[in-house]
Amino acid sequence: MRQKIVAGNWKMNNTIEEGQKLTSEIVDLVKNEVTDDVSIIIAPSFIHLSTTIGLLEGVSNIALSSQNCSENESGAFTGEVSVNMLNSIGVEYVIIGHSERREYNHETNEQLTKKVDTVLKHGLTPIFCCGETLATREGGNHFEYVCNQLTESLFHLSEDDFKKVVIAYEPIWAIGTGVTASSDQAQEMHAALRSHLATKYGKEIADNTSILYGGSCKPDNAKELFACADVDGGLIGGASLKSRDFVDIAKSF
Ligand code: 13P
């Protein structure tokens, strides 16, 4: 059975004080309202990780993620954060290849391959992001484009390693725009990705892989998206900055 996951990507938002307040509110709401079969993940910026982990003690279904990591182990990489450092404070997940990093930091599929390897080597779980631009979709190549992102960055993995990966499909045209993929559009892409995974890893592993949807997911559309057979939850941006909205999304299965 694949895991139901709702992950909040805070992006570059919140001071430490604001982050602590938001985390505390989420913890209280999750404890009282969210069933244990839903895994909640909070992905604040690096500066928040140490303080946030302290607020998650004893809460079994909320885990911590970073939004990025270095592909290198350690050394002269000014401004970078290693997976070993993340591991040492209890971070369990790392978002890899978000479209904003692919665009603004010029991250390539090849570099993302290295990041995925480093994350897995240290026992953390990659949340691997993929998704197409509007131009690619309008050109009709979106299935091929997104499947290729998985092929290039993930298909070198052994079965055992691949089983640990979470996928997040985030159509770039839906991120922060208020335009959500329709449930039909989300379902057909998620089904295509799952079939693509099955060609490499077999049906059983593909069926057990969590594929999250991201892009203007809100409390009022989460239910319809999460009802799709191949949508296993969401990677939430804007709505994860409001505790009530985020937890309402987590209750939408
Ligand atoms: P929004 O939910 O703000 O569209 O962002 C989605 C996203 O990029 C999550 O990683």
Side-chain angles (χ1 to χ4, degrees), residues 155-193:
F155 278 17
H156 66 290
L157 295 175
S158 67
E159 286 189 359
D160 277 350
D161 274 343
F162 181 78
K163 282 184 200 166
K164 298 167 194 152
V165 175
V166 172
I167 309 265
Y169 167 59
E170 299 204 306
I172 295 168
W173 46 271
I175 296 178
T177 58
V179 180
T180 320
S182 68
S183 51
D184 285 349
Q185 286 172 319
Q187 171 55 25
E188 67 175 357
M189 179 60 84
H190 283 230
L193 295 178

Side-chain angles (χ1 to χ4, degrees), residues 153 232 242:
S153 295
D232 306 309
K242 294 186 186 134

Side-chain angles (χ1 to χ4, degrees), residues 10 13-24 48 52 55:
W10 291 5
N13 290 295
N14 289 327
T15 61
I16 285 291
E17 219 169 61
E18 291 163 347
Q20 284 188 292
K21 181 171 176 287
L22 177 57
T23 303
S24 302
H48 289 274
T52 307
L55 300 172

Side-chain angles (χ1 to χ4, degrees), residues 183 217-228 231 248-249 251-253:
S183 51
C217 186
K218 309 272 186 247
D220 61 3
N221 59 28
K223 249 196 175 69
E224 198 182 330
L225 287 161
F226 296 177
C228 298
V231 176
D248 281 347
I249 292 171
K251 292 163 67 181
S252 298
F253 288 98

Side-chain angles (χ1 to χ4, degrees), residues 36-50:
D36 278 347
D37 60 332
V38 180
S39 297
I40 310 289
I41 299 170
I42 299 177
S45 60
F46 288 128
I47 197 163
H48 289 274
L49 294 171
S50 297

